[in-house]
Amino acid sequence: MAANQVLRAAGYDVHLLGAQNGDRPLCCGRTFLATGMVDKARTEAERTIAALKPYVEHGVPIVGLEPSCLLGMRDEFISMLPSGEAAELALNALLFEEFIAREIDAGRFKLNLKPLVQKRALLHGHCHQKAFAAMPAVQKALSLVPELKVEIIESSCCGMAGSFGYDAEHYQVSMQMAELSLLPALRSSPDALIVADGTSCRHQIHDGSQRHAIHVASLLARQLK
């Protein structure tokens, strides 16, 4: 809802893609891939590609919010379904911040935003954002907020890693990963805003520090005048 609000405020028409013909909601298949269920993941990819095909054919950007989901369309979809349709979708699939950064560079993106009470934000990058070099786009999107200083937390994986950290047998390893740099950085800056796009990352941050991180879309929507 926040992303929809932001994009519409910037003058874009937004279509929220739902289930087709009363079917269950669309899924990128990442949850199946994470547990080795490749055939089921491929089925989900086929459903998603079919639903997005009319928009891709007309050059409509496909904008996603969760890095592991959206970037799966640029990577795993092509590996599981090496077809022209998967490749065309990959070329049109952008993270929310990548779309904003592209439109800023083209001189098409304008938002009327108010400053935050907090003037400093700590940014934790999702592993897929780092792997796909998407962090500069996140920083550019956050630069739209007046007077906000953004600092990237130099960390590896938060430790949650999808469903990994939810398993009892992985819990100690998961928390040790979080304690390498992420959680200490949060403790050292108790007054800073925390920004993290990954759902699993935000869960880990809350569980490990009792603090709430927010998605870039939520931050921008909150600051709309």
Side-chain angles (χ1 to χ4, degrees):
M1 290 188 293
N4 185 33
Q5 185 180 0
V6 169
L7 293 176
R8 289 186 182 278
Y12 296 88
D13 292 327
V14 181
H15 180 78
L16 302 177
L17 191 66
Q20 304 296 299
N21 303 318
D23 198 0
R24 59 190 174 80
L26 294 171
C27 174
C28 68
R30 171 72 63 189
T31 49
F32 290 121
L33 278 179
T35 53
M37 303 169 76
V38 179
D39 289 340
K40 289 189 175 182
R42 186 179 294 109
T43 297
E44 296 304 314
E46 290 172 340
R47 294 175 61 230
T48 299
I49 290 171
L52 292 172
K53 181 178 179 181
Y55 302 96
V56 172
E57 289 178 341
H58 287 85
V60 177
I62 308 303
V63 179
L65 297 170
E66 174 64 32
S68 61
C69 295
L70 188 282
L71 293 171
M73 298 181 189
R74 298 223 298 256
D75 189 2
E76 284 87 354
F77 276 27
I78 298 175
S79 297
M80 293 186 293
L81 299 164
S83 65
E85 292 180 354
E88 287 298 317
L89 172 57
L91 292 173
N92 281 272
L94 298 165
L95 286 171
F96 176 73
E97 297 87 357
E98 290 179 318
F99 175 76
I100 290 177
R102 187 186 76 174
E103 297 299 283
I104 289 174
D105 291 341
R108 293 190 292 259
F109 200 89
K110 304 293 181 184
L111 275 182
N112 192 9
L113 300 177
K114 58 189 177 183
L116 280 157
V117 173
Q118 295 143 302
K119 303 303 180 186
R120 181 166 170 251
L122 298 180
L123 172 62
H124 170 70
H126 187 285
C127 289
H128 285 86
Q129 287 176 308
K130 296 170 186 174
F132 281 80
M135 294 305 292
V138 181
Q139 291 176 280
K140 180 166 285 191
L142 289 173
S143 72
L144 294 170
V145 181
E147 304 172 18
L148 182 64
K149 179 183 179 182
V150 179
E151 300 174 20
I152 293 182
I153 300 173
E154 295 298 335
S155 62
S156 59
C157 177
C158 71
M160 185 61 76
S163 62
F164 177 85
Y166 280 110
D167 294 336
E169 62 183 303
H170 300 146
Y171 176 75
Q172 292 300 331
V173 174
S174 173
M175 295 311 299
Q176 287 169 9
M177 292 169 70
E179 289 289 357
L180 287 174
S181 53
L182 173 58
L183 295 182
L186 302 183
R187 295 190 193 103
S188 67
S189 301
D191 298 324
L193 182 72
I194 307 170
V195 181
D197 281 352
T199 300
S200 56
C201 302
R202 293 196 298 274
H203 276 280
Q204 185 80 322
I205 287 169
H206 181 261
D207 292 341
S209 69
Q210 287 71 58
R211 297 177 66 186
H212 291 278
I214 64 172
H215 193 285
V216 173
S218 298
L219 174 58
L220 296 183
R222 181 190 297 178
Q223 298 312 115
L224 286 171
K225 286 187 178 179

